[in-house]
Amino acid sequence: MTHCSRSLRAANLKQYLVGLARAERQTLSTTTQVFSNKKPVLGIAREDVNLWERRAPLSPNHVETLVSRRDVKVLVQPSSRRAYSITEYESAGAIIDDDLSEADVIVGVKKVAIEHLIPNKTYVFFSHTIKAQKDNMPLLDAILEKNICLVDYEKIVDDRGVRQVAFGQYAGIAGMINILNGLGTRLLALGHHTPFMHVGLAHNYPGSSAAMAAIAALGREIECGLMPKVLGPVVFTFTGSGNVSQGAQSVFRQLPHEYISPKDIKEVARHGSTRKLYATVVDMADNLVRKDGRPFDERDYKAHPDQYTSIFANEIAPYTTCLVNGLYWGPGSPRIITVEQCKDLMPKEYTVTASEGVPKLTQKLHAIADISCDMNGSLEFVNDVTSIDAPFVLYNAHTQKMSKRLDGNGILLMAVDNLPAQLPREATDFFGSKLLPFIPDCLKLDGGSLNVSNAVKNAVITHRGALTEKFKYIDELRRKG
């Protein structure tokens, strides 16, 4: 073979390889274009955590927006328990299907059962794993094993750390309605009828506006002096200033009331009027002090919570009739009431007999609505949740027992962890309006990329079979037990 022939064949081979490479690039480009033009698919999981869960992460109106304006295919698992009907979702353009395997991203409210998790998907829901909550660690392990990208609503925050997607307002509203009902029942068990007996539980009303109208009506009885004088001035203490507290206060304000400073609570509890209710709002600066006596500093507290202690149990709780707790609590933070401190807020023994016409009351704190529901958290003795169908227990600090009977010695306690489910349509509308703007970024996560907004990126708990850098601390919390 001549030198020219070899050169010609080499040139032809080079031209062939160049052409082949060009064809491969064109094929890849076409495939990428087809993939990028693929209509994104969003799945809405049905809620099966308990029989009361009637919420959804998105309402039919939100689905219609995604389908008609964002060109998103929406699959909805059928559920006749949801407050919004299957027909309403169908009319909005959703496809009703039990099988969500086609979905790129699956959204829900509460955690998805381990056996229903589909591998290699992106899930968005409240996982309750970021504090290494023991009961939910099997779920976290399954998510990691199945290579699921998990986004937790609780960590979708703005640049200031304020949560952007939450039911908080409705947890506060439902919780406040409930605790008024519970306070009325507890005081009756102690031998005293009050106007609070006219308040039902939140789910007994068509919506929050109907509940507030009923509560406003009973306010007139308070103004007319129909509260038992033996009860003394009634003081509601709200902890925190976030959505939970604001929602609860919006209900409270339907009643005749006056806001007071935490510094004035002792005087008001002794000498205030019984023709109105009193409220005080307690934030960090009102109940936290440095152990070394230096003034409270929020930035310092967030960096060194172990250097602070709470004065709440001594300075505020003894003058509170009903505590509505909306504080966020993290491991290492001071508790506002410990088990030992709670013992000082109630007598060792107390009984009421039917023969007593006007029984004496030997404690001021009669009811606690722990809307935050942090187990063994800011209220150390709260170690289990209550339920919507049985929202109240009586806690006896001396025996450290919870009783379903409300006529013994103790403090009425409510710790329902799905309060917005009692106002499901309103809660879904509110929550979905907050979630909707983040759906496009959540859909981008399907490709494995974290090239999304900081709000969504910082809420990714697991990615590619591992905890993301921001949440590796969960492993350390688990090791500490």
Side-chain angles (χ1 to χ4, degrees), residues 265-286:
I265 190 171
K266 183 176 181 179
E267 179 67 18
V268 169
R270 291 176 173 173
H271 304 295
S273 170
T274 58
R275 291 176 178 262
K276 60 183 174 182
L277 308 179
Y278 294 90
T280 189
V281 180
V282 177
D283 217 333
M284 291 186 291
D286 299 310

Side-chain angles (χ1 to χ4, degrees), residues 188-210:
L188 185 65
L190 294 175
H192 302 285
H193 169 82
T194 65
F196 300 133
M197 284 299 298
H198 303 313
V199 183
L201 293 171
H203 60 267
N204 294 137
Y205 298 98
S208 61
S209 58

Side-chain angles (χ1 to χ4, degrees), residues 186-377:
R186 172 59 179 161
L187 291 173
L188 185 65
L190 294 175
H192 302 285
H193 169 82
T194 65
F196 300 133
M197 284 299 298
H198 303 313
V199 183
L201 293 171
H203 60 267
N204 294 137
Y205 298 98
S208 61
S209 58
M212 290 191 184
I215 290 167
L218 72 85
R220 289 187 281 275
E221 294 187 29
I222 296 174
E223 289 178 314
C224 290
L226 299 184
M227 293 289 284
K229 298 296 186 291
V230 68
L231 189 57
V234 175
V235 181
F236 284 78
T237 295
F238 298 89
T239 58
S241 56
N243 289 330
V244 167
S245 182
Q246 292 300 322
Q249 290 179 62
S250 71
V251 176
F252 174 81
R253 286 193 293 271
Q254 306 305 307
L255 297 164
H257 67 275
E258 178 184 341
Y259 276 89
I260 59 173
S261 165
K263 296 177 181 178
D264 297 328
I265 190 171
K266 183 176 181 179
E267 179 67 18
V268 169
R270 291 176 173 173
H271 304 295
S273 170
T274 58
R275 291 176 178 262
K276 60 183 174 182
L277 308 179
Y278 294 90
T280 189
V281 180
V282 177
D283 217 333
M284 291 186 291
D286 299 310
N287 86 102
L288 295 174
V289 296
R290 272 193 64 102
K291 294 176 181 178
D292 60 9
R294 286 159 53 192
F296 173 81
D297 180 270
E298 185 173 352
R299 192 174 288 180
D300 178 62
Y301 168 69
K302 289 182 177 179
H304 308 286
D306 58 313
Q307 297 300 311
Y308 287 78
T309 188
S310 173
I311 60 172
F312 186 91
N314 296 323
E315 303 295 329
I316 298 170
Y319 311 104
T320 296
T321 309
C322 179
L323 167 59
V324 182
N325 185 33
L327 282 178
Y328 174 84
W329 187 85
S333 301
R335 293 184 167 92
I336 60 172
I337 305 178
T338 65
V339 171
E340 288 302 311
Q341 289 171 332
C342 195
K343 292 178 182 179
D344 295 330
L345 298 173
M346 57 178 293
K348 285 188 176 180
E349 295 181 357
Y350 180 75
T351 56
V352 175
T353 61
S355 62
E356 292 183 78
V358 184
K360 293 181 180 179
L361 298 174
T362 57
Q363 68 190 65
K364 184 67 175 178
L365 182 59
H366 293 293
I368 297 174
D370 187 13
I371 302 178
S372 294
C373 283
D374 286 315
M375 298 299 99
N376 304 114

